[in-house]
Amino acid sequence: MSVKAIAQDEFGDVDVLRVRELPEPRIAFDQVLVEVRAAGVNPVDRLVRMGYVKDRVPHHFPLIPGWDVAGVVREVGPAVDGFEPGDEVFGYQRKDHVQHGTYAELVAATERGLAHKPAALSFAEAGGLALTGLTALQALRRVGVSSGDTVLVHAAAGGVGHLAVQVARVLGASRVIGTASPRNHGFLRSLGAEPVSYGDALVDNVAELVGGDGLVDVAFDCVGGAALNDSPALVRDPSRIVSIVDTNVLELGGRYAYAKPVQADLEWLAAHADAGELKVVVQQTFPLAEAAEAHRLLEGRHVRGKIVLTV
């Protein structure tokens, strides 16, 4: 038996992504075979495609990209607890080796990176939740966001950013300020954030918006570069700066965060999505065969929310 998947045989630009017929995945004793309905497209997928993380994690060809998934359980391994055939699930499927990703009709999923799909979300929305949601939740917890905090989110209209705005509110932040281009200010307001324009005047713009001492409690960086470099001038305590893109944050006294596949955290996201407190904004969906086009849109760096492949 074979399945359709998007795979690459070399690192490179979007043209290395091709539709392939590959062997149906086999599941280990503690894995779940998932019929994929949707797979989120994330900036890390581009880095994998181009070989930028091959020195950090072993890669093997043919390589199927993708770490986000939503679908229906077809089969469970004999050691699996909590899932049965027919269950609707979503998850974050980063593994120790990069090869068998989620841009495929079937995925052999690890149990630890899987949870039941929120009933309130479509498959496309759930397919865009796991990686970005886990990143936001774990990063904000890493700097102790809690009741009364004012949180600044750099690049708040993007995939991680728009969820970080919402997660911060759920964690108790009293104010969430988000940087974005003016065209996305209305979008941020709809999520409960106060928008501010990025650029050379960022520090002054935030200070004017915040009032008082002009400082925030937490800065969450989704973009790096100048925004990250401005962050020490924006926070009361540099140890409450967290970046998900730039390890230079450590030199500033802050924290670096990288999403981990934790089932309890996926269940937290699902519960709050079902409670109406988290929504996943999908800018555009593409059929699986058009994964290269999805990557082209991603590379334009003007995505609002998420891009998702549908199967």
Side-chain angles (χ1 to χ4, degrees):
M1 294 286 291
S2 64
V3 298
K4 289 183 179 177
I6 299 298
Q8 59 185 93
D9 292 312
E10 60 183 330
F11 298 120
D13 63 19
V14 298
D15 295 328
V16 303
L17 299 176
R18 298 186 179 93
V19 180
R20 298 277 295 276
E21 292 281 344
L22 294 173
E24 182 174 313
R26 298 179 179 179
I27 56 171
F29 292 102
D30 59 349
Q31 288 186 321
V32 176
L33 188 63
V34 176
E35 297 176 357
V36 179
R37 297 289 187 268
V41 178
N42 296 287
V44 70
D45 300 345
R46 171 182 173 270
L47 301 181
V48 167
R49 190 197 78 222
M50 299 184 73
Y52 289 159
V53 293
K54 63 182 175 62
D55 294 330
R56 292 277 185 177
V57 186
H59 287 51
H60 309 280
F61 297 112
L63 188 157
I64 303 170
W67 290 344
D68 263 340
V69 67
V72 179
V73 174
R74 174 184 288 189
E75 182 183 350
V76 299
V80 169
D81 295 315
F83 298 104
E84 297 179 355
D87 285 351
E88 296 182 350
V89 295
F90 80 113
Y92 171 45
Q93 290 299 309
R94 176 171 62 82
K95 300 170 184 175
D96 294 334
H97 289 236
V98 176
Q99 183 176 24
H100 302 297
T102 59
Y103 291 15
E105 292 177 323
L106 289 173
V107 169
T110 62
E111 187 178 12
R112 70 179 182 274
L114 210 61
H116 289 93
K117 182 182 81 67
L121 301 187
S122 67
F123 278 113
E125 291 166 335
L129 173 61
L131 172 54
T132 49
L134 288 175
T135 301
L137 175 61
Q138 293 170 3
L140 290 169
R141 281 179 173 167
R142 192 163 171 78
V143 288
V145 171
S146 61
S147 179
D149 280 339
T150 296
V151 177
L152 172 66
V153 179
H154 294 300
V160 174
H162 89 288
L163 281 165
V165 166
Q166 299 171 75
V167 169
R169 300 292 288 188
V170 174
L171 291 175
S174 60
R175 295 180 71 180
V176 180
I177 298 167
T179 71
S181 61
R183 71 183 183 90
N184 282 319
H185 284 190
F187 172 59
L188 293 188
R189 290 189 187 96
S190 75
L191 299 176
E194 301 171 59
V196 64
S197 295
Y198 52 77
D200 294 339
L202 178 61
V203 173
D204 291 337
N205 290 340
V206 171
E208 182 178 356
L209 183 62
V210 172
D213 63 4
L215 300 175
V216 300
D217 298 296
V218 171
F220 182 10
D221 170 50
C222 302
V223 66
L228 177 60
N229 292 334
D230 281 341
S231 293
L234 292 165
V235 296
R236 296 185 176 89
D237 179 356
S239 71
R240 302 192 78 190
I241 302 169
V242 61
S243 179
I244 62 169
V245 295
D246 194 338
T247 56
N248 289 330
V249 67
L250 301 174
E251 299 176 10
L252 303 177
R255 306 289 186 89
Y256 182 75
Y258 194 71
K260 300 175 183 178
V262 178
Q263 189 175 68
D265 289 348
L266 290 168
E267 291 169 344
W268 187 97
L269 294 169
H272 287 284
D274 277 334
E277 295 170 321
L278 295 178
K279 63 179 179 180
V280 181
V281 176
V282 178
Q283 174 175 312
Q284 191 167 344
T285 62
F286 291 84
L288 181 65
E290 296 180 14
E293 291 304 314
H295 273 233
R296 285 192 179 94
L297 179 59
L298 182 74
E299 290 184 337
R301 299 182 182 274
H302 294 293
V303 175
R304 175 186 291 179
K306 294 289 300 181
I307 302 169
V308 176
L309 301 177
T310 56
V311 181

